[in-house]
């Protein structure tokens, strides 16, 4: 018998690799955690997968087809709270790096004269189509952040989104700065924190997979100037910044201005 005090949650996926849902499913104590909620829909875990009325909807993926648009609008209509889960949902993801390009031209370059059933387009984040209440960053999100979001909703509170960069976590852990010491194009200074500088721990430069900092404080221009001073190629800078940030700023324009 359903416990009426439990929050109803839905876990949905638009166009994506389903990695965020997989991370949700791989929470160490997921069976214990799930006892606190009534999961009315989980796309990856159920063949039914219908959009049901719920208190909180976690939605991963970008809006890349006409069907995605219809689904995300229906999810919004049936949910009290919508959480954009992961970089695709928040920023458009890797597929969003083609933002501004001609879809038909790109499709032909990849698939030739073949066709697909879906009416597709360049991927865009949820906020382009619906009101999003909270953003849960990551590619995929970290387990502790998923649990934190579930826990705060579970006690009737709300999650606070991080507004500081991966650089802060890198410095706090005492890792060498790959930008200063190795001249590598690290995006840690403009990428939202929460991964505990996972890649920097292995001496690998941040590619910005958690997306740019909120509140327009991701200073692409300042970092592009720093990269330029370190003799990093203009096109390489653009490609680096656009992987996960294409739809967050006029990167092409910014980089061109820096190199004038």
């Amino acid at each position: 018998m359903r416990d009426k005090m439990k929050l109803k949650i839905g876990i949905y996926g638009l166009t994506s690799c389903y990695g965020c849902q997989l991370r949700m499913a791989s929470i160490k104590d997921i069976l214990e955690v799930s006892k606190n909620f009534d999961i009315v829909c989980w796309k990856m875990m159920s063949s039914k997968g219908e959009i049901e009325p719920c208190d909180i909807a976690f939605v991963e993926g970008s809006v890349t087809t006409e069907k995605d648009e219809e689904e995300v609008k229906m999810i919004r209509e049936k949910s009290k709270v919508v959480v954009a889960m992961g970089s695709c949902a928040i920023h458009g993801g890797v597929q969003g790096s083609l933002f501004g390009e001609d879809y038909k031209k790109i499709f032909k370059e990849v698939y030739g004269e073949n066709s697909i059933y879906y009416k597709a387009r360049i991927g865009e984040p949820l906020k382009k189509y619906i009101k999003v209440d909270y953003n849960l960053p990551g590619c995929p999100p970290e387990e502790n952040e998923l649990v934190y979001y579930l826990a705060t909703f579970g006690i009737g509170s709300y999650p606070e989104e991080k507004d500081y960069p991966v650089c802060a976590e890198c410095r706090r852990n005492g890792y060498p700065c790959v930008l200063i010491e190795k001249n590598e194009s690290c995006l840690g200074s403009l990428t939202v924190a929460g991964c505990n500088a996972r890649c920097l721990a292995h001496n690998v430069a941040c590619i910005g997979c958690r997306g740019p900092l909120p509140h327009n404080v991701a200073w692409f221009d300042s970092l592009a100037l720093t990269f330029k001073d370190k003799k990093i190629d203009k096109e390489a800078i653009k490609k680096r910044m656009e992987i996960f940030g294409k739809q967050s700023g006029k990167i092409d324009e910014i980089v061109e201005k820096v190199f004038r």
Side-chain angles (χ1 to χ4, degrees), residues 17 19-21 23 60-61 84-91 93 135-143 145-146 149 191-195 198 208-212 244:
C17 67
C20 297
Q21 290 185 77
R23 177 52 63 87
E60 75 159 341
M85 179 169 64
S87 293
C88 294
I90 300 171
H91 303 290
N135 295 304
L136 172 51
C139 185
E142 299 292 319
E143 178 175 333
E145 286 186 298
L146 282 165
Y149 273 59
T191 300
V192 66
C195 60
R198 182 191 301 278
C209 75
R210 293 176 58 83
F244 289 95

Side-chain angles (χ1 to χ4, degrees), residues 10-16 57-65 67-76 79 81-93 95-96 121-136 247:
I11 304 166
Y12 301 98
L14 305 177
T15 299
S16 64
F58 291 85
V59 187
E60 75 159 341
S62 65
V63 180
T64 311
T65 66
K67 184 170 178 286
D68 284 339
E69 182 180 351
E70 292 172 0
E71 283 194 6
V72 78
K73 287 179 177 176
M74 189 179 297
I75 291 168
R76 176 71 272 183
S79 309
V81 170
V82 171
V83 180
M85 179 169 64
S87 293
C88 294
I90 300 171
H91 303 290
Q95 61 268 38
R121 63 190 71 165
I122 300 294
E124 293 181 304
L126 307 191
K127 63 185 177 185
K128 293 284 183 72
Y129 296 90
I130 63 166
K131 176 181 180 293
V132 172
D133 299 293
Y134 299 101
N135 295 304
L136 172 51
Q247 300 192 36

Side-chain angles (χ1 to χ4, degrees), residues 116-247:
I116 58 173
Y117 172 75
Y118 295 108
K119 294 180 180 178
R121 63 190 71 165
I122 300 294
E124 293 181 304
L126 307 191
K127 63 185 177 185
K128 293 284 183 72
Y129 296 90
I130 63 166
K131 176 181 180 293
V132 172
D133 299 293
Y134 299 101
N135 295 304
L136 172 51
C139 185
E142 299 292 319
E143 178 175 333
N144 62 348
E145 286 186 298
L146 282 165
V147 172
Y148 167 67
Y149 273 59
L150 288 167
T152 52
F153 288 132
I155 61 173
S157 184
Y158 59 88
E160 291 189 21
E161 297 176 16
K162 293 182 175 64
D163 59 359
Y164 56 91
V166 170
C167 253
E169 295 177 328
C170 181
R171 298 289 79 200
R172 187 174 63 207
N173 287 322
Y175 301 144
C177 178
V178 297
L179 172 59
I180 295 174
E181 298 185 21
K182 296 175 66 178
N183 279 355
E184 292 194 7
S185 51
C186 181
L187 302 186
S189 62
L190 50 75
T191 300
V192 66
C195 60
N196 201 29
R198 182 191 301 278
C199 294
L200 283 311
H202 299 283
N203 228 9
V204 175
C206 174
I207 62 170
C209 75
R210 293 176 58 83
L213 287 163
H215 313 305
N216 295 318
V217 296
W219 295 331
F220 287 96
D221 50 353
S222 296
L223 189 57
L225 182 59
T226 300
F227 287 165
K228 179 188 175 186
D229 292 342
K230 290 186 172 293
K231 312 300 181 189
I232 297 175
D233 177 71
K234 179 175 71 175
E235 293 305 316
I237 295 172
K238 285 183 186 177
K239 286 182 180 178
R240 188 76 160 181
M241 290 183 167
E242 287 179 347
I243 298 174
F244 289 95
K246 183 70 176 288
Q247 300 192 36

